[in-house]
C-alpha cells in the first residue's frame, strides 16, 4: 500500500483517479480549493484538504503531516479561450504551481511526480495519429503553460532526481461506469456534456463550431478517451515511475469521432435529439486530433476498455440523467468504494 498526494482530486479526472487508487487500496490525500471541484466527488476514505496549492505554507504543512510515495498533479487552469484573454495569469499560475509543488516534493523526499498535460501541446499537428515525436508547438497560452511546466519537471529530474511523468490527454470523456462519479464543470466547455445538457433541456442548444472542415461530414474530429481508462493509465504510469522517470505519454483511445457522430451517438443511446445550431469555426481548431497511444500501450500494457463512442456516451448520459444538477443533488454515499 502506498500513499499519494493528489492536487485537484475533487475535479473531474482527478476524482476518477482517486477512486481507482482507493479501489486498489492506496491511501490518498487530496488538496483542492474546490473552485471547480466538488467535495462529494472525493471518495470516502480519502482525506480532503481544502486549500489553494499556490499557498506554499499550507503545502509545506501537508508534506509535514504525511509521507507520500508520489504526487499526482491535476490542479490547473484549463480553459483555452480564457487563457488567450489572460495569458499571463495562466502561465504564471500553471507553471509556478507545478514547479513549487515539485520543489516541495523533492524537499520532502518524495520521489515520484505525475502531471496532467494536454494535446494542446501539439497545436496544429502535421500528421495524425499524433505520437510523442510530434513537434511541440502550442497555439494557446494554456498549451504553452503546460509545455513550460513539463520543461520545469525536466529540470527537477536532472537536478534533483525527481522521477517525473506527464500524460498528455486528448479529450477525457464519460463517467464512472458504476455511476459513482461524473463530469460537472461550471462553465462546461466539453462537447459531450454540453450536448447531453442540451438534449436533456438543462442547457442551451449546442453550437457546432464549423461544418466546412475537410472531414467526411464537415465537422471536427476528436479523440475521446474514457475517464476510467485514463485513470487506469495513471496507475500504470505511477507504477512505472518506481523504476524510471522522464516519462511522456500521449493518451487517447486512438479513434476519432466527429461532432455529428457524437450527436448521433447521444440520439442512439438516449433516444433524444440534441438541439443544435451551426456556428463559425473557432480560431486555432484543427480539423482532426487523434492520439497515438502506442508508446503507452507498449511500455505499460495499457489499453482502452471503453473505446466505443456509444459506451463513453452511455456512461456520461447515465450520470447526468441521474443527477441533472450534477453534484448539487448527488448522494455522497454513492461514491463509496
Ligand atoms: N478534461 C480534459 O479533457 C483534459 C484534457 C487535457 C488535459 N486536462 C488537464 O487535466 C487536469 C484535470 O482536468 P479536469 O477536467 O479534471 O479539470 P477540473 O477543473 O475538473 O479539475 C481540476 C481541479 O483542480 C482544482 N484546482 C484548480 N486550481 C487549483 C488550485 N490552485 N489549488 C487547489 N485546487 C485547484 C479545481 O477545484 C478542480 O477540482 C487539468 O490539469 C487539465 O489541464 C484535462
Amino acid at each position: 500500500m502506498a500513499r499519494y498526494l493528489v492536487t485537484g482530486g475533487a475535479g473531474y479526472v482527478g476524482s476518477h483517479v482517486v477512486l481507482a487508487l482507493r479501489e486498489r487500496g492506496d491511501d490518498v490525500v487530496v488538496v483542492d480549493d474546490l473552485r471547480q471541484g466538488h467535495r462529494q466527488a472525493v471518495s470516502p476514505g480519502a482525506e480532503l484538504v481544502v486549500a489553494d496549492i499556490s499557498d506554499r505554507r499550507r503545502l509545506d504543512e501537508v508534506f509535514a503531516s504525511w509521507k507520500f510515495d508520489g504526487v499526482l498533479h491535476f490542479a490547473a487552469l484549463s480553459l483555452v479561450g480564457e487563457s488567450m484573454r489572460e495569458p499571463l495569469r495562466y502561465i504564471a499560475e500553471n507553471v509556478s504551481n507545478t514547479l513549487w509543488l515539485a520543489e516541495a516534493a523533492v524537499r520532502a523526499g518524495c520521489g515520484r511526480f505525475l502531471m496532467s498535460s494536454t494535446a494542446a501541446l501539439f497545436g496544429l499537428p502535421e500528421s495524425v495519429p499524433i505520437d510523442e515525436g510530434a513537434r511541440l508547438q502550442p497555439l494557446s497560452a494554456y498549451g504553452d503553460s503546460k509545455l513550460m511546466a513539463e520543461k520545469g519537471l525536466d529540470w527537477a529530474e536532472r537536478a534533483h532526481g525527481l522521477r517525473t511523468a506527464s500524460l498528455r490527454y486528448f479529450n477525457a470523456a464519460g463517467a464512472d461506469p458504476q455511476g459513482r462519479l461524473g463530469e460537472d464543470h461550471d462553465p462546461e466547455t466539453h462537447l459531450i456534456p454540453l450536448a447531453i445538457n442540451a438534449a436533456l433541456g438543462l442547457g442551451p442548444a449546442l453550437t457546432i463550431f464549423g461544418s466546412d472542415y475537410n472531414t467526411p461530414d464537415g465537422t471536427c474530429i476528436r479523440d475521446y478517451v474514457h475517464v476510467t481508462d485514463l485513470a487506469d493509465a495513471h496507475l500504470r504510469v505511477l507504477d512505472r515511475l518506481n523504476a524510471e522517470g522522464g516519462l511522456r505519454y500521449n493518451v487517447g483511445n486512438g479513434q476519432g469521432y466527429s461532432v455529428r457522430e457524437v450527436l448521433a451517438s447521444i440520439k442512439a443511446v438516449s433516444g433524444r435529439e440534441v438541439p443544435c445550431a451551426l456556428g463559425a469555426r473557432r480560431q486555432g481548431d484543427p480539423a482532426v486530433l487523434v492520439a497515438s497511444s502506442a508508446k503507452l500501450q507498449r511500455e505499460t500494457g495499457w489499453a482502452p476498455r471503453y473505446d466505443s463512442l456509444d459506451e463513453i456516451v452511455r456512461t456520461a448520459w447515465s450520470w447526468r440523467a441521474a443527477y441533472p444538477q450534477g453534484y448539487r443533488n448527488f448522494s455522497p454515499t454513492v461514491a463509496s468504494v
Side-chain angles (χ1 to χ4, degrees):
M1 193 181 84
R3 181 182 296 119
Y4 296 103
L5 170 61
V6 182
T7 74
Y12 172 48
V13 181
S15 62
H16 285 80
V17 174
V18 169
L19 176 62
L21 288 167
R22 292 291 303 138
E23 279 184 324
R24 75 171 190 183
D26 289 329
D27 273 348
V28 176
V29 178
V30 169
V31 179
D32 196 304
D33 64 4
L34 304 179
R35 70 178 71 180
Q36 268 291 339
H38 309 274
R39 194 179 285 279
Q40 304 93 309
V42 177
S43 296
E47 294 275 349
L48 170 64
V49 177
V50 179
D52 186 327
I53 56 165
S54 68
D55 182 342
R56 294 173 61 191
R57 232 192 4 225
R58 285 299 298 283
L59 217 48
D60 284 344
E61 282 168 15
V62 169
F63 276 101
S65 303
W66 291 277
K67 176 125 188 74
F68 297 109
D69 298 286
V71 174
L72 294 99
H73 177 41
F74 298 93
L77 300 172
S78 56
L79 302 179
V80 172
E82 186 179 68
S83 83
M84 299 306 275
R85 294 189 296 277
E86 301 177 71
L88 304 187
R89 181 165 80 93
Y90 263 67
I91 290 169
E93 194 163 328
N94 284 351
V95 177
S96 63
N97 283 353
T98 304
L99 300 190
W100 290 128
L101 184 63
E103 201 252 358
V106 168
R107 262 190 290 123
C110 163
R112 290 184 283 169
F113 192 103
L114 195 167
M115 77 166 257
S116 305
S117 189
T118 167
L121 295 194
F122 300 106
L124 290 170
E126 281 142 11
S127 61
V128 284
I130 303 167
D131 65 21
E132 291 77 3
R135 193 172 330 157
L136 301 172
Q137 44 189 4
L139 289 173
S140 63
Y142 165 64
D144 235 340
S145 74
K146 291 283 185 176
L147 181 55
M148 291 180 207
E150 282 196 10
K151 285 186 177 161
L153 292 188
D154 289 343
W155 282 104
E157 185 128 12
R158 276 163 73 172
H160 304 296
L162 183 67
R163 290 191 300 281
T164 72
S166 170
L167 294 187
R168 293 136 174 195
Y169 320 152
F170 281 58
N171 296 271
D176 171 53
Q178 294 180 47
R180 294 168 293 182
L181 297 168
E183 179 167 16
D184 184 6
H185 290 120
D186 183 18
E188 186 53 79
T189 58
H190 296 142
L191 174 66
I192 292 176
L194 283 173
I196 288 175
N197 285 347
L200 284 166
L202 299 168
L206 183 85
T207 302
I208 298 177
F209 295 114
S211 51
D212 57 351
Y213 283 95
N214 186 18
T215 59
D217 67 20
T219 63
C220 284
I221 292 178
R222 293 290 178 268
D223 180 324
Y224 298 93
V225 57
H226 195 280
V227 66
T228 300
D229 285 329
L230 203 47
D232 179 39
H234 284 77
L235 269 50
R236 288 168 186 268
V237 171
L238 209 47
D239 291 343
R240 194 168 171 84
L241 275 177
N242 279 323
E244 61 173 316
L247 306 176
R248 305 289 180 264
Y249 295 113
N250 293 356
V251 201
N253 94 37
Q255 302 187 52
Y257 296 103
S258 72
V259 176
R260 287 194 198 282
E261 284 175 312
V262 168
L263 305 192
S265 172
I266 292 174
K267 172 88 196 291
V269 162
S270 69
R272 300 243 194 144
E273 207 71 60
V274 178
C276 61
L278 293 181
R281 289 183 178 200
R282 285 184 306 197
Q283 212 187 347
D285 254 351
V288 181
L289 277 179
V290 175
S292 164
S293 303
K295 182 179 174 213
L296 178 71
Q297 302 206 12
R298 200 172 53 245
E299 294 189 356
T300 71
W302 178 81
R305 277 179 299 162
Y306 304 97
D307 61 349
S308 90
L309 181 60
D310 285 354
E311 277 179 295
I312 292 170
V313 164
R314 187 173 296 114
T315 59
W317 178 274
S318 301
W319 195 78
R320 183 50 73 168
Y323 305 107
Q325 303 306 316
Y327 285 104
R328 265 180 291 160
N329 67 346
F330 180 77
S331 155
T333 54
V334 179
S336 59
V337 175

